[in-house]
Amino acid sequence: MSKLWKKAVFCLLPVLLFLFSGCGTQEEEESGQAFEVYYLNREETAISSETVYLDESLTQDEQISALLTALQTAPEDVSLKASAGTSFQINNYLVDEGQLNIDVDESYRKLPATTEVLVRASLVRTLVQVDEINHVLMTVAGQSLMDSSGTAVGPMTADTFIDNAGDAINPYEMVTLTLYFANETGDRLVETTRTLEYNSNISVERLVVDCLVKGPDTDQAFPTINPDTKVLGVTVRDGICYVNFDKTFLTQVYTVTPEVVIYSITNSLVELTSVNKVQISIDGQTDVVFRETFNLTNLYERNLDLIGDSVETQTSTETQTEGGQ
């Protein structure tokens, strides 16, 4: 295939004549070259595969097109769902010296962090089975795909999604977080504790920020951050946690003081042993004054003066399948 971007238009073109080849007997259905197509489970906590058979005469491009169609088609197993084509669209793709480059639309950035890892794994594991495809590189509207820590995601193989112990993805861990939200009047912080199960493919610092954007799970505390805010990146270097929001963060929809917003984030992150200070940026820029009060070029440390009452520790656990906006 030449180095030309191919539009990912997946109508029921002749490719589908090759997909699930044979509709009659079991023997007919299992003729052709076998591929594992990976789908999300309904809870978006794991991926699982179904086998499809493609005509062995298909070219590399036709294999890619057929598998992308399958990834966007509802699987036979009702406990699974398509990995692509619902919450985001595939714009186009090209093959360059054994690397398949896939460009997706901006909607991809709205996937929760844990779901995004699973979607990426399902696409990569499916598509590296294509003849002479060694790696998959994903971009979003032509820009580098960033992971939950704000690092550019490079070329991926199936092994990208296997941890050091040799286990497949979906390594879930339990964690107890101390999170600070607003009191009812919005001028003090309320300390809450949340125990949850989360996918360790994302950092615990990112998990904290995602939980703050999502809001409290108790009626004794109140949210501090606009829920439409997108978390563009969370990284830690030398004890400083750098949190990058999109500009929606600047639009305040709750009646809370600017101090409560800033220290809801700072105090929650400083509860982690990895964090001593916090810097907040907007679309990667720190030359911003938040609500005419807080210069975001500054580093912020824990503020105990704002903390009011604590909320009793939550005894239930949940699986964290919702992440960055």
Side-chain angles (χ1 to χ4, degrees):
M1 173 175 158
S2 62
K3 296 181 184 178
L4 293 175
W5 285 98
K6 302 221 172 182
K7 285 189 175 295
V9 180
F10 305 113
C11 51
L12 300 181
L13 33 106
V15 160
L16 288 185
L17 296 177
F18 301 105
L19 189 58
F20 309 110
S21 60
C23 298
T25 67
Q26 181 75 11
E27 182 179 350
E28 288 174 333
E29 291 178 354
E30 295 185 358
S31 63
Q33 184 175 354
F35 290 83
E36 295 299 314
V37 177
Y38 289 85
Y39 300 100
L40 301 181
N41 67 357
R42 289 287 170 184
E43 296 76 25
E44 298 184 1
T45 59
I47 63 174
S48 187
S49 68
E50 288 187 353
T51 304
V52 301
Y53 296 87
L54 303 183
D55 191 295
E56 294 179 351
S57 66
L58 284 179
T59 65
Q60 181 191 67
D61 184 50
E62 289 169 337
Q63 288 180 355
I64 294 170
S65 186
L67 292 176
L68 287 173
T69 299
L71 285 163
Q72 297 177 89
T73 304
E76 293 183 6
D77 186 341
V78 295
S79 69
L80 304 177
K81 62 181 181 179
S83 300
T86 52
S87 54
F88 72 95
Q89 300 296 319
I90 298 172
N91 293 330
N92 44 45
Y93 64 88
L94 68 79
V95 176
D96 185 2
E97 297 182 353
Q99 178 172 292
L100 173 60
N101 301 324
I102 299 176
D103 189 61
V104 296
D105 69 5
E106 285 284 356
S107 300
Y108 190 88
R109 299 189 194 277
K110 299 179 182 179
L111 292 177
T114 50
T115 301
E116 189 278 325
V117 172
L118 297 174
V119 167
R120 186 157 30 106
S122 67
L123 268 64
V124 172
R125 285 187 164 186
T126 299
L127 293 165
V128 292
Q129 300 170 81
V130 171
D131 294 343
E132 298 181 2
I133 294 297
N134 302 314
H135 301 86
V136 175
L137 179 69
M138 293 181 63
T139 54
V140 181
Q143 303 298 312
S144 296
L145 170 63
M146 312 300 284
D147 65 16
S148 61
S149 68
T151 303
V153 176
M156 296 166 283
T157 68
D159 290 343
T160 300
F161 303 95
I162 298 177
D163 65 21
N164 293 333
D167 296 326
I169 58 172
N170 315 325
Y172 278 78
E173 297 180 3
M174 296 299 300
V175 66
T176 297
L177 302 176
T178 299
L179 303 171
Y180 293 88
F181 294 101
N183 65 358
E184 187 171 6
T185 55
D187 59 355
R188 302 279 289 173
L189 291 173
V190 174
E191 178 184 326
T192 71
T193 306
R194 185 180 304 177
T195 299
L196 48 81
E197 184 181 49
Y198 79 106
N199 188 318
S200 59
N201 283 300
I202 70 171
S203 69
V204 69
E205 295 85 9
R206 173 63 186 252
L207 181 66
V208 166
V209 178
D210 286 343
C211 286
L212 292 174
V213 173
K214 183 179 179 181
D217 59 356
T218 171
D219 58 7
Q220 299 176 59
F222 298 85
T224 58
I225 300 174
N226 186 331
D228 292 328
T229 299
K230 296 180 179 63
V231 183
L232 303 181
V234 180
T235 57
V236 179
R237 292 192 300 273
D238 300 324
I240 301 171
C241 187
Y242 298 89
V243 182
N244 186 18
F245 294 116
D246 77 333
K247 63 183 179 181
T248 309
F249 175 78
L250 301 175
T251 303
Q252 190 63 47
V253 296
Y254 301 117
T255 306
V256 292
T257 65
E259 291 83 2
V260 164
V261 177
I262 294 296
Y263 288 105
S264 165
I265 299 165
T266 301
N267 284 9
S268 297
L269 284 166
V270 173
E271 287 286 343
L272 303 175
T273 58
S274 58
V275 180
N276 299 316
K277 300 178 182 179
V278 174
Q279 183 173 57
I280 298 168
S281 60
I282 307 300
D283 289 329
Q285 304 299 313
T286 58
D287 56 344
V288 177
V289 177
F290 178 65
R291 293 176 63 182
E292 302 180 349
T293 305
F294 287 91
N295 191 328
L296 298 188
T297 59
N298 296 330
L299 302 179
Y300 293 97
E301 301 181 54
R302 189 196 309 268
N303 184 337
L304 299 176
D305 294 337
L306 283 173
I307 301 174
D309 296 332
S310 298
V311 173
E312 184 178 352
T313 300
Q314 301 298 303
T315 56
S316 61
T317 61
E318 59 181 278
T319 299
Q320 179 71 10
T321 59
E322 296 185 22
Q325 305 294 305

